[in-house]
Amino acid sequence: MFKLLVTGSSGLIGSEVCFHFASLDWEIHGVDNNQRAVFFGSAGDTRWNQQRLQNSIKGFVHHELDIRDRQGVLNLMESIQPDAIVHTAAQPSHDRAAAIPFDDFDTNAVGTLNLLEAVRQFCPKSPFVHMSTNKVYGDLPNSIKLKELDTRWDYDDITYENGIPETFSIDQSKHSLFGASKVAADVIVQEYGRYFDIPTCCLRGGCLTGPNHSGVELHGFLSYLVKSNLEERTYKIYGYKGKQVRDNIHSYDVARFIEEFINNPRCGEVYNLGGGKNNTCSILEAFDIVASLSGKPMQHEYIDKNREGDHICYYSDLRKMQEHYPQWSVTKSLTDIFTEITKSWQNRLG
């Protein structure tokens, strides 16, 4: 039986990956210490998801470990020697990073290095999949010529008709401290792949979402937006007229791509992982969709100041992913995603 090690196993992507590979009869080891609750308070707590994993996956092994614990990471990798590693653990908020810069960098950059070095020492042939972020591009996508439509911004440059490609520069732009720590992690993952011939890839995620997201205001755009609607809370729009655009991808489709990569790995690869142009929506458009599902109008207020380094319009060019892995495509539509998230929150809120 193959063994999979998943960091951040109680989070959205981590848990989805655990379930996906468990269905393929892999032995699953999860690493999580509920650090999200430390970063975001009780609203970010993921112990419920840990319990779900332990109750639902036969033989699931939970490891209460902080990836900043270098010796602990080395010991764990030596004892398990997994056949593949999926690294989703992170401090995920660019707003929060400014308040906790050392925790942010030590988790995102140094924690990733700890894992890579442990892999190099004990299982260098095992594929290592790193959940990076589109924030590695900083605010440079905002330099692309845009056109303003009734409910959204869109690119007004045919070069980006299909979205942002992996060749887009990550240099000389404002990233936020979170983006900078993720750049460091992204580059070191590539380097361990290219320098040591370890099969690694960076998945530069857009809006990764799904029904098991513990969305909070600072992280988890769609999940938090839906929760706000159902609880009839006021949602704050930060700048850009609420027309800022994101592409949304269901955690299930993320797990499916990770399976494809592990089955046919490459060294030091980078992929922009999002829902693509077909799964884009603006905040204003998201308001209308969730209101149509819940029957409740969206309460919101507008703050005429955007978040530092925030993208006005961002969606992923998926052509490289589909060229390298033609068996993979996005299977969950934007409607599917909204419907599942709404039902999940309705069940959780009672």
Side-chain angles (χ1 to χ4, degrees):
M1 182 182 288
F2 293 118
K3 291 182 286 188
L4 180 70
L5 179 65
V6 181
T7 71
S9 52
S10 300
L12 171 73
I13 301 301
S15 62
E16 187 81 55
V17 168
C18 288
F19 277 106
H20 185 76
F21 279 84
S23 73
L24 303 174
D25 294 323
W26 283 56
E27 177 184 315
I28 311 298
H29 292 260
V31 172
D32 205 296
N33 64 338
N34 200 29
Q35 196 67 18
R36 192 180 173 91
V38 177
F39 293 144
F40 300 118
S42 59
D45 193 290
T46 57
R47 290 293 183 198
W48 67 274
N49 217 3
Q50 179 188 327
Q51 288 297 319
R52 192 172 70 100
L53 292 167
Q54 291 174 312
N55 294 337
S56 305
I57 295 177
K58 184 180 178 181
F60 175 80
V61 183
H62 173 77
H63 301 273
E64 189 79 10
L65 177 68
D66 192 319
I67 60 171
R68 292 174 290 186
D69 177 358
R70 184 167 297 162
Q71 192 58 51
V73 168
L74 287 166
N75 293 344
L76 182 66
M77 203 70 69
E78 182 179 18
S79 66
I80 299 173
Q81 296 193 19
D83 297 287
I85 301 92
V86 179
H87 175 35
T88 77
Q91 190 297 109
S93 167
H94 58 161
D95 289 325
R96 189 81 184 101
I100 52 169
F102 292 118
D103 287 334
D104 175 80
F105 195 87
D106 286 344
T107 302
N108 292 350
V110 181
T112 301
L113 176 60
N114 291 342
L115 288 160
L116 286 165
E117 184 54 27
V119 168
R120 184 174 78 90
Q121 290 186 31
F122 300 114
C123 50
K125 296 188 183 305
S126 298
F128 183 97
V129 178
H130 170 58
M131 293 308 304
S132 187
T133 171
N134 62 17
K135 295 298 187 293
V136 299
Y137 296 115
D139 62 0
L140 201 60
N142 292 351
S143 66
I144 299 170
K145 186 182 178 185
L146 296 172
K147 54 188 174 184
E148 184 178 358
L149 306 176
D150 288 344
T151 58
R152 64 161 62 194
W153 298 97
D154 202 353
Y155 301 129
D156 195 21
D157 182 337
I158 197 164
T159 306
Y160 303 103
E161 182 182 8
N162 295 292
I164 302 292
E166 291 80 359
T167 52
F168 200 82
S169 176
I170 65 173
D171 196 17
Q172 298 185 66
S173 59
K174 182 186 286 185
H175 293 80
S176 81
L177 294 185
F178 160 74
S181 68
K182 293 295 280 188
V183 165
D186 189 301
V187 172
I188 201 72
V189 170
Q190 291 183 58
E191 200 59 31
Y192 267 72
R194 295 170 188 271
Y195 195 92
F196 296 117
D197 294 321
I198 296 172
T200 69
C201 79
C202 298
L203 302 182
R204 294 175 174 171
C207 279
L208 314 179
T209 192
N212 297 309
H213 211 174
S214 297
V216 294
E217 184 177 13
L218 298 183
H219 182 251
F221 155 60
L222 274 192
S223 177
Y224 178 72
L225 186 149
V226 171
K227 183 184 180 187
S228 297
N229 174 270
L230 293 174
E231 293 186 329
E232 299 180 32
R233 292 187 181 184
T234 301
Y235 183 94
K236 294 178 181 176
I237 301 173
Y238 292 94
Y240 303 139
K241 304 180 184 180
K243 296 183 179 183
Q244 50 267 59
V245 168
R246 299 290 183 271
D247 61 332
N248 304 277
I249 184 168
H250 195 289
S251 51
Y252 171 71
D253 285 330
V254 175
R256 287 179 51 253
F257 182 79
I258 290 170
E259 179 194 352
E260 291 291 326
F261 180 83
I262 287 173
N263 287 340
N264 294 285
R266 296 162 171 256
C267 291
E269 269 296 358
V270 169
Y271 299 102
N272 286 349
L273 179 66
K277 192 169 187 174
N278 290 338
N279 271 18
T280 59
C281 69
S282 70
I283 291 178
L284 295 181
E285 291 164 353
F287 286 173
D288 289 341
I289 296 170
V290 71
S292 71
L293 290 169
S294 71
K296 297 181 178 184
M298 194 77 203
Q299 299 180 27
H300 62 273
E301 67 173 291
Y302 183 73
I303 297 167
D304 194 18
K305 179 172 171 48
N306 61 278
R307 288 183 165 133
E308 288 292 329
D310 200 18
H311 294 147
I312 304 171
C313 179
Y314 185 97
Y315 49 90
S316 310
D317 186 336
L318 304 179
R319 288 178 297 176
K320 179 181 175 182
M321 294 175 66
Q322 291 169 331
E323 178 188 343
H324 286 189
Y325 298 97
Q327 300 300 316
W328 180 85
S329 63
V330 171
T331 64
K332 298 272 192 177
S333 70
L334 196 62
T335 302
D336 295 334
I337 290 170
F338 269 93
T339 302
E340 288 188 32
I341 293 174
T342 302
K343 286 181 179 177
S344 176
W345 274 119
Q346 285 172 334
N347 291 335
R348 276 192 267 175
L349 295 172

Coordinates of all heavy atoms in Angstrom, one line a residue, residues 91-168:
Q91 N 0.4 29.7 6.6 CA -0.3 30.9 7.0 C -0.9 31.5 5.8 O -0.1 32.0 4.9 CB 0.7 31.9 7.7 CG 0.0 33.0 8.5 CD -0.8 34.0 7.6 OE1 -2.1 34.0 7.7 NE2 -0.2 34.8 6.8
P92 N -2.2 31.5 5.6 CA -2.7 31.8 4.3 C -3.2 33.2 4.0 O -3.7 33.5 2.9 CB -3.9 30.8 4.2 CG -4.4 30.8 5.6 CD -3.2 31.0 6.5
S93 N -3.1 34.2 4.9 CA -3.7 35.5 4.7 C -2.7 36.6 4.5 O -1.8 36.7 5.3 CB -4.6 35.8 5.9 OG -4.9 37.2 5.9
H94 N -2.8 37.3 3.4 CA -1.8 38.4 3.2 C -2.1 39.6 4.2 O -1.2 40.3 4.5 CB -1.7 38.9 1.7 CG -3.0 39.3 1.1 ND1 -2.9 40.1 0.0 CD2 -4.3 39.2 1.4 CE1 -4.2 40.4 -0.4 NE2 -5.0 39.8 0.4
D95 N -3.3 39.8 4.6 CA -3.6 40.8 5.6 C -3.0 40.4 7.0 O -2.4 41.2 7.6 CB -5.1 41.0 5.8 CG -5.7 41.7 4.5 OD1 -5.1 42.5 3.9 OD2 -6.9 41.3 4.2
R96 N -3.2 39.2 7.4 CA -2.7 38.7 8.7 C -1.2 38.7 8.8 O -0.6 39.0 9.8 CB -3.2 37.3 8.9 CG -3.0 36.8 10.3 CD -4.0 37.3 11.3 NE -3.8 36.9 12.7 CZ -3.2 37.7 13.6 NH1 -2.9 38.9 13.3 NH2 -3.0 37.2 14.8
A97 N -0.5 38.5 7.6 CA 0.9 38.4 7.6 C 1.6 39.6 8.1 O 2.7 39.6 8.8 CB 1.4 38.0 6.2
A98 N 1.0 40.8 7.8 CA 1.7 42.1 8.3 C 1.7 42.2 9.8 O 2.6 42.8 10.3 CB 0.9 43.2 7.7
A99 N 0.8 41.5 10.5 CA 0.8 41.6 11.9 C 1.6 40.6 12.6 O 2.1 40.7 13.7 CB -0.7 41.4 12.4
I100 N 1.9 39.5 11.8 CA 2.7 38.4 12.4 C 3.8 38.0 11.4 O 3.9 36.8 10.9 CB 1.9 37.2 12.8 CG1 1.0 36.7 11.6 CG2 1.0 37.5 14.0 CD1 0.3 35.4 11.8
P101 N 4.7 38.9 11.0 CA 5.7 38.6 9.9 C 6.6 37.4 10.2 O 6.9 36.6 9.3 CB 6.5 39.9 9.8 CG 6.3 40.6 11.1 CD 4.9 40.2 11.6
F102 N 7.1 37.2 11.5 CA 7.9 36.1 11.8 C 7.2 34.8 11.7 O 7.7 33.8 11.1 CB 8.6 36.3 13.1 CG 9.6 37.4 13.2 CD1 9.4 38.5 14.1 CD2 10.7 37.4 12.4 CE1 10.3 39.5 14.1 CE2 11.6 38.5 12.4 CZ 11.4 39.5 13.3
D103 N 6.0 34.7 12.3 CA 5.2 33.5 12.2 C 4.9 33.2 10.7 O 4.9 32.0 10.4 CB 3.9 33.7 13.0 CG 4.1 33.7 14.5 OD1 5.1 33.1 14.9 OD2 3.3 34.3 15.2
D104 N 4.6 34.2 10.0 CA 4.2 34.0 8.6 C 5.4 33.4 7.8 O 5.3 32.4 7.1 CB 3.8 35.3 7.9 CG 3.6 35.2 6.4 OD1 2.5 34.7 6.1 OD2 4.4 35.6 5.7
F105 N 6.6 34.0 7.9 CA 7.7 33.5 7.1 C 8.2 32.2 7.6 O 8.6 31.3 6.9 CB 8.9 34.6 7.2 CG 9.9 34.3 6.1 CD1 9.8 34.9 4.9 CD2 11.0 33.6 6.4 CE1 10.7 34.7 3.9 CE2 12.0 33.3 5.4 CZ 11.8 33.9 4.1
D106 N 8.2 32.0 9.0 CA 8.7 30.8 9.5 C 7.8 29.6 9.1 O 8.3 28.5 8.9 CB 8.8 30.8 11.0 CG 10.0 31.7 11.5 OD1 10.9 31.9 10.7 OD2 10.0 32.1 12.7
T107 N 6.5 29.9 9.0 CA 5.6 28.8 8.6 C 5.7 28.5 7.1 O 5.9 27.4 6.7 CB 4.1 29.2 9.0 OG1 4.0 29.4 10.4 CG2 3.2 28.1 8.6
N108 N 5.5 29.6 6.3 CA 5.4 29.4 4.9 C 6.8 29.1 4.2 O 6.8 28.2 3.3 CB 4.8 30.7 4.2 CG 3.4 30.9 4.6 OD1 2.8 30.0 5.2 ND2 2.9 32.1 4.3
A109 N 7.8 29.8 4.5 CA 9.1 29.6 3.9 C 10.0 28.6 4.6 O 10.4 27.6 4.0 CB 9.8 30.9 3.8
V110 N 10.2 28.8 5.9 CA 11.1 27.9 6.6 C 10.5 26.5 6.8 O 11.1 25.5 6.6 CB 11.5 28.5 8.0 CG1 12.5 27.5 8.7 CG2 12.2 29.8 7.8
G111 N 9.1 26.5 7.0 CA 8.4 25.2 7.2 C 8.6 24.4 5.9 O 8.8 23.2 5.9
T112 N 8.4 25.0 4.8 CA 8.6 24.4 3.5 C 10.0 23.8 3.3 O 10.2 22.7 2.8 CB 8.2 25.3 2.3 OG1 6.8 25.8 2.5 CG2 8.3 24.6 1.0
L113 N 11.0 24.6 3.6 CA 12.4 24.2 3.6 C 12.6 22.9 4.5 O 13.3 22.0 4.1 CB 13.3 25.3 3.9 CG 14.8 25.0 4.0 CD1 15.3 24.5 2.6 CD2 15.6 26.2 4.5
N114 N 12.0 23.0 5.7 CA 12.2 21.8 6.6 C 11.7 20.5 5.9 O 12.3 19.5 6.0 CB 11.4 22.1 7.9 CG 12.0 23.2 8.7 OD1 13.2 23.6 8.6 ND2 11.2 23.7 9.7
L115 N 10.5 20.7 5.3 CA 9.9 19.5 4.6 C 10.8 19.0 3.4 O 11.0 17.8 3.3 CB 8.5 19.8 4.2 CG 7.5 20.0 5.3 CD1 6.3 20.7 4.7 CD2 7.0 18.6 5.8
L116 N 11.2 19.9 2.6 CA 12.0 19.6 1.5 C 13.3 18.9 1.8 O 13.7 17.9 1.2 CB 12.3 20.8 0.6 CG 11.2 21.4 -0.2 CD1 11.5 22.8 -0.6 CD2 10.8 20.5 -1.4
E117 N 14.0 19.4 2.9 CA 15.3 18.8 3.3 C 15.0 17.4 3.9 O 15.8 16.5 3.6 CB 16.0 19.7 4.3 CG 17.3 19.2 4.7 CD 18.3 19.0 3.5 OE1 18.2 19.6 2.5 OE2 19.2 18.1 3.7
A118 N 13.9 17.2 4.6 CA 13.6 15.9 5.1 C 13.3 14.9 3.9 O 13.7 13.8 4.0 CB 12.4 16.0 6.0
V119 N 12.6 15.4 2.9 CA 12.4 14.6 1.7 C 13.7 14.2 1.1 O 13.9 13.1 0.7 CB 11.4 15.3 0.7 CG1 11.4 14.6 -0.6 CG2 10.0 15.4 1.3
R120 N 14.6 15.2 0.9 CA 15.9 14.9 0.2 C 16.6 13.9 1.0 O 17.3 13.0 0.4 CB 16.7 16.2 0.1 CG 18.0 16.0 -0.6 CD 18.7 17.3 -0.8 NE 19.4 17.8 0.3 CZ 20.7 17.5 0.6 NH1 21.4 16.7 -0.2 NH2 21.2 18.0 1.7
Q121 N 16.6 13.9 2.3 CA 17.3 12.9 3.1 C 16.7 11.5 3.2 O 17.5 10.5 3.2 CB 17.5 13.5 4.6 CG 18.4 14.7 4.7 CD 18.7 15.1 6.1 OE1 18.7 14.2 7.0 NE2 18.9 16.4 6.4
F122 N 15.4 11.5 3.1 CA 14.8 10.2 3.4 C 13.9 9.6 2.3 O 13.6 8.4 2.3 CB 13.9 10.3 4.7 CG 14.8 10.7 5.9 CD1 14.6 11.9 6.5 CD2 15.8 9.8 6.4 CE1 15.3 12.3 7.6 CE2 16.5 10.2 7.5 CZ 16.3 11.4 8.1
C123 N 13.4 10.4 1.4 CA 12.6 9.8 0.3 C 12.7 10.7 -0.9 O 11.7 11.3 -1.4 CB 11.1 9.7 0.8 SG 10.4 11.1 1.5
P124 N 13.9 10.9 -1.5 CA 14.1 11.8 -2.6 C 13.4 11.5 -3.9 O 13.3 12.3 -4.8 CB 15.6 11.8 -2.8 CG 16.1 10.5 -2.2 CD 15.1 10.2 -1.1
K125 N 12.9 10.3 -4.0 CA 12.2 9.9 -5.3 C 10.7 10.1 -5.2 O 10.0 9.9 -6.1 CB 12.5 8.4 -5.6 CG 14.0 8.2 -6.0 CD 14.2 6.8 -6.5 CE 15.7 6.5 -6.7 NZ 16.3 7.5 -7.6
S126 N 10.2 10.5 -4.0 CA 8.8 10.7 -3.8 C 8.4 12.1 -4.3 O 9.0 13.1 -3.9 CB 8.5 10.6 -2.3 OG 8.8 9.3 -1.8
P127 N 7.3 12.1 -5.1 CA 6.8 13.4 -5.6 C 6.4 14.4 -4.4 O 5.8 13.9 -3.4 CB 5.6 13.1 -6.4 CG 5.8 11.6 -6.8 CD 6.6 11.0 -5.7
F128 N 6.7 15.6 -4.5 CA 6.4 16.7 -3.5 C 5.6 17.7 -4.2 O 6.1 18.4 -5.1 CB 7.7 17.2 -3.0 CG 7.5 18.3 -1.9 CD1 7.6 17.9 -0.6 CD2 7.3 19.6 -2.2 CE1 7.5 18.8 0.5 CE2 7.1 20.5 -1.2 CZ 7.2 20.1 0.2
V129 N 4.3 17.8 -3.8 CA 3.4 18.8 -4.4 C 3.2 19.9 -3.4 O 2.8 19.7 -2.2 CB 2.1 18.2 -4.7 CG1 1.1 19.2 -5.3 CG2 2.2 17.0 -5.7
H130 N 3.5 21.1 -3.8 CA 3.5 22.3 -2.9 C 2.3 23.2 -3.4 O 2.2 23.6 -4.5 CB 4.8 23.1 -3.0 CG 4.7 24.4 -2.3 ND1 4.4 24.6 -1.0 CD2 5.0 25.7 -2.8 CE1 4.5 25.9 -0.7 NE2 4.8 26.6 -1.8
M131 N 1.4 23.5 -2.4 CA 0.3 24.5 -2.7 C 0.9 25.9 -2.6 O 1.0 26.4 -1.5 CB -0.8 24.3 -1.8 CG -1.6 22.9 -1.9 SD -2.1 22.6 -3.6 CE -3.1 24.0 -4.0
S132 N 1.2 26.5 -3.7 CA 1.7 27.8 -3.7 C 0.5 28.7 -3.9 O -0.6 28.4 -3.5 CB 2.7 28.0 -4.9 OG 3.3 29.3 -4.8
T133 N 0.6 29.9 -4.5 CA -0.5 30.9 -4.6 C -0.2 31.8 -5.7 O 0.9 32.1 -6.1 CB -0.6 31.7 -3.3 OG1 -1.5 32.7 -3.4 CG2 0.7 32.3 -2.8
N134 N -1.3 32.4 -6.3 CA -1.1 33.4 -7.3 C -0.6 34.7 -6.8 O -0.2 35.6 -7.5 CB -2.4 33.6 -8.1 CG -3.6 34.1 -7.2 OD1 -3.4 34.6 -6.1 ND2 -4.8 34.0 -7.8
K135 N -0.5 34.8 -5.4 CA 0.0 36.0 -4.8 C 1.6 36.1 -5.1 O 2.2 37.1 -4.8 CB -0.2 36.0 -3.3 CG -1.7 36.2 -3.0 CD -2.3 37.5 -3.5 CE -3.7 37.7 -3.1 NZ -4.7 36.7 -3.6
V136 N 2.2 35.0 -5.6 CA 3.6 35.1 -6.0 C 3.8 36.1 -7.1 O 4.9 36.6 -7.3 CB 4.2 33.7 -6.3 CG1 4.1 32.8 -5.2 CG2 3.6 33.2 -7.6
Y137 N 2.7 36.4 -7.9 CA 2.9 37.4 -8.9 C 2.7 38.8 -8.4 O 2.9 39.8 -9.2 CB 1.8 37.1 -10.0 CG 2.0 35.8 -10.7 CD1 1.0 34.8 -10.6 CD2 3.1 35.5 -11.5 CE1 1.2 33.6 -11.2 CE2 3.2 34.3 -12.1 CZ 2.3 33.3 -12.0 OH 2.5 32.1 -12.6
G138 N 2.5 39.0 -7.1 CA 2.3 40.3 -6.5 C 1.2 41.0 -7.2 O 0.2 40.4 -7.7
D139 N 1.3 42.4 -7.2 CA 0.2 43.2 -7.9 C 0.5 43.4 -9.4 O -0.2 44.3 -10.0 CB 0.0 44.4 -7.1 CG 1.2 45.4 -7.1 OD1 2.2 45.0 -7.7 OD2 1.1 46.5 -6.5
L140 N 1.5 42.8 -9.9 CA 1.9 43.0 -11.3 C 0.7 42.7 -12.3 O 0.6 43.4 -13.3 CB 3.1 42.1 -11.7 CG 3.9 42.6 -12.9 CD1 4.4 44.0 -12.7 CD2 5.0 41.7 -13.3
P141 N -0.2 41.7 -12.0 CA -1.4 41.6 -12.9 C -2.2 42.9 -13.0 O -2.9 43.0 -14.1 CB -2.2 40.5 -12.2 CG -1.1 39.6 -11.6 CD -0.1 40.6 -11.0
N142 N -2.1 43.8 -12.1 CA -2.9 45.0 -12.1 C -2.3 46.0 -13.2 O -2.9 47.0 -13.5 CB -2.9 45.7 -10.8 CG -3.7 44.9 -9.7 OD1 -4.4 44.0 -10.1 ND2 -3.6 45.4 -8.5
S143 N -1.1 45.7 -13.7 CA -0.5 46.5 -14.8 C -1.1 46.2 -16.1 O -0.9 46.9 -17.1 CB 1.0 46.4 -14.8 OG 1.4 45.1 -15.2
I144 N -1.8 45.0 -16.2 CA -2.4 44.7 -17.5 C -3.6 45.6 -17.8 O -4.3 46.0 -16.9 CB -2.9 43.2 -17.5 CG1 -1.8 42.2 -17.2 CG2 -3.6 42.8 -18.8 CD1 -2.2 40.8 -16.9
K145 N -3.7 46.0 -19.1 CA -4.8 46.9 -19.5 C -6.1 46.2 -19.2 O -6.3 45.1 -19.6 CB -4.6 47.3 -21.0 CG -5.7 48.3 -21.4 CD -5.5 48.6 -22.9 CE -6.6 49.6 -23.4 NZ -6.5 49.8 -24.8
L146 N -7.0 46.9 -18.6 CA -8.3 46.4 -18.2 C -9.5 47.1 -18.9 O -9.3 48.3 -19.2 CB -8.5 46.4 -16.7 CG -7.6 45.6 -15.8 CD1 -7.8 45.9 -14.3 CD2 -7.7 44.1 -16.1
K147 N -10.6 46.5 -19.0 CA -11.8 47.1 -19.4 C -12.9 46.9 -18.3 O -12.9 45.9 -17.6 CB -12.3 46.6 -20.7 CG -12.5 45.1 -20.8 CD -12.8 44.6 -22.2 CE -12.9 43.1 -22.2 NZ -13.1 42.6 -23.6
E148 N -13.6 48.0 -18.0 CA -14.7 47.9 -17.0 C -16.0 47.6 -17.6 O -16.5 48.3 -18.5 CB -14.8 49.3 -16.3 CG -15.7 49.2 -15.1 CD -15.8 50.5 -14.3 OE1 -15.0 51.5 -14.7 OE2 -16.6 50.6 -13.4
L149 N -16.6 46.5 -17.2 CA -17.9 46.1 -17.6 C -19.0 46.4 -16.5 O -18.6 47.0 -15.5 CB -17.9 44.6 -18.0 CG -16.8 44.2 -19.0 CD1 -16.8 42.7 -19.2 CD2 -17.0 44.9 -20.3
D150 N -20.2 46.1 -16.8 CA -21.3 46.5 -15.8 C -21.0 45.9 -14.4 O -21.3 46.6 -13.4 CB -22.6 46.0 -16.3 CG -23.1 46.8 -17.5 OD1 -22.6 47.9 -17.7 OD2 -24.0 46.3 -18.2
T151 N -20.6 44.6 -14.3 CA -20.5 44.0 -13.0 C -19.1 43.5 -12.8 O -18.8 42.8 -11.7 CB -21.5 42.8 -12.9 OG1 -21.2 41.9 -14.0 CG2 -22.9 43.3 -13.0
R152 N -18.1 43.7 -13.7 CA -16.8 43.1 -13.5 C -15.7 43.9 -14.3 O -16.0 44.6 -15.2 CB -16.7 41.7 -13.9 CG -17.0 41.4 -15.4 CD -16.5 40.0 -15.8 NE -17.2 39.0 -15.1 CZ -16.8 37.7 -15.1 NH1 -15.6 37.4 -15.8 NH2 -17.4 36.7 -14.5
W153 N -14.5 43.7 -13.9 CA -13.3 44.1 -14.7 C -12.9 42.8 -15.5 O -13.1 41.7 -15.1 CB -12.1 44.5 -13.8 CG -12.4 45.7 -12.9 CD1 -12.8 45.7 -11.6 CD2 -12.3 47.0 -13.3 NE1 -12.9 47.0 -11.2 CE2 -12.6 47.8 -12.2 CE3 -11.9 47.7 -14.5 CZ2 -12.6 49.2 -12.2 CZ3 -11.9 49.1 -14.5 CH2 -12.2 49.8 -13.4
D154 N -12.3 43.1 -16.7 CA -11.7 42.0 -17.5 C -10.5 42.5 -18.2 O -10.3 43.7 -18.3 CB -12.7 41.5 -18.4 CG -12.4 40.0 -18.9 OD1 -11.3 39.5 -18.5 OD2 -13.2 39.4 -19.6
Y155 N -9.7 41.6 -18.6 CA -8.4 42.0 -19.4 C -8.8 42.6 -20.7 O -9.7 42.1 -21.4 CB -7.5 40.8 -19.6 CG -7.1 40.1 -18.3 CD1 -7.2 38.8 -18.1 CD2 -6.5 40.9 -17.3 CE1 -6.8 38.1 -16.9 CE2 -6.1 40.3 -16.1 CZ -6.3 38.9 -15.9 OH -5.8 38.3 -14.8
D156 N -8.1 43.7 -21.1 CA -8.3 44.3 -22.4 C -7.0 44.2 -23.2 O -6.6 45.2 -23.8 CB -8.7 45.8 -22.2 CG -9.3 46.4 -23.4 OD1 -9.7 45.7 -24.3 OD2 -9.3 47.7 -23.5
D157 N -6.4 43.0 -23.1 CA -5.2 42.8 -23.8 C -5.3 41.3 -24.3 O -5.4 40.4 -23.5 CB -4.0 42.9 -22.9 CG -2.7 42.7 -23.5 OD1 -2.6 42.0 -24.6 OD2 -1.6 43.2 -23.0
I158 N -5.3 41.1 -25.6 CA -5.5 39.8 -26.1 C -4.4 38.7 -25.7 O -4.7 37.5 -25.7 CB -5.5 39.8 -27.7 CG1 -6.2 38.5 -28.2 CG2 -4.1 40.1 -28.3 CD1 -6.6 38.7 -29.7
T159 N -3.3 39.2 -25.2 CA -2.2 38.4 -24.7 C -2.8 37.5 -23.5 O -2.3 36.4 -23.3 CB -1.0 39.2 -24.2 OG1 -0.6 40.0 -25.3 CG2 0.1 38.3 -23.8
Y160 N -3.7 38.1 -22.8 CA -4.2 37.4 -21.6 C -5.6 37.0 -21.7 O -6.4 36.9 -20.7 CB -4.0 38.4 -20.4 CG -2.6 38.8 -20.2 CD1 -2.2 40.0 -20.6 CD2 -1.6 37.9 -19.7 CE1 -0.8 40.4 -20.5 CE2 -0.3 38.3 -19.6 CZ 0.1 39.5 -20.0 OH 1.4 39.9 -19.8
E161 N -6.0 36.7 -23.0 CA -7.4 36.3 -23.2 C -7.8 35.0 -22.5 O -8.9 34.9 -22.0 CB -7.6 36.1 -24.7 CG -9.0 35.6 -25.1 CD -9.0 35.4 -26.6 OE1 -8.0 35.4 -27.3 OE2 -10.2 35.2 -27.1
N162 N -6.8 34.2 -22.3 CA -7.0 32.9 -21.5 C -6.6 33.0 -20.1 O -6.7 32.0 -19.4 CB -6.3 31.8 -22.2 CG -6.8 31.5 -23.6 OD1 -7.9 31.0 -23.8 ND2 -6.0 31.8 -24.6
G163 N -6.1 34.1 -19.6 CA -5.7 34.3 -18.2 C -4.2 34.5 -18.1 O -3.5 34.7 -19.1
I164 N -3.7 34.4 -16.9 CA -2.3 34.6 -16.5 C -1.6 33.3 -16.7 O -1.9 32.3 -16.1 CB -2.2 35.1 -15.1 CG1 -3.0 36.4 -14.8 CG2 -0.7 35.3 -14.7 CD1 -2.4 37.6 -15.6
P165 N -0.5 33.3 -17.5 CA 0.3 32.1 -17.7 C 1.4 32.0 -16.7 O 1.7 33.0 -16.0 CB 0.9 32.3 -19.1 CG 1.1 33.8 -19.2 CD -0.1 34.4 -18.4
E166 N 2.1 30.8 -16.7 CA 3.2 30.6 -15.7 C 4.4 31.4 -16.0 O 5.3 31.6 -15.2 CB 3.5 29.1 -15.7 CG 2.5 28.2 -15.0 CD 1.3 27.9 -16.0 OE1 1.3 28.3 -17.2 OE2 0.4 27.1 -15.5
T167 N 4.5 32.0 -17.2 CA 5.7 32.8 -17.7 C 5.6 34.2 -17.1 O 6.5 35.0 -17.3 CB 5.8 32.8 -19.2 OG1 4.5 33.2 -19.7 CG2 6.1 31.4 -19.7
F168 N 4.4 34.6 -16.5 CA 4.3 35.9 -16.0 C 5.3 36.2 -14.9 O 5.5 35.3 -14.1 CB 2.8 36.1 -15.5 CG 2.3 37.5 -15.3 CD1 1.8 38.2 -16.4 CD2 2.4 38.1 -14.1 CE1 1.4 39.5 -16.3 CE2 1.9 39.4 -14.0 CZ 1.4 40.1 -15.1

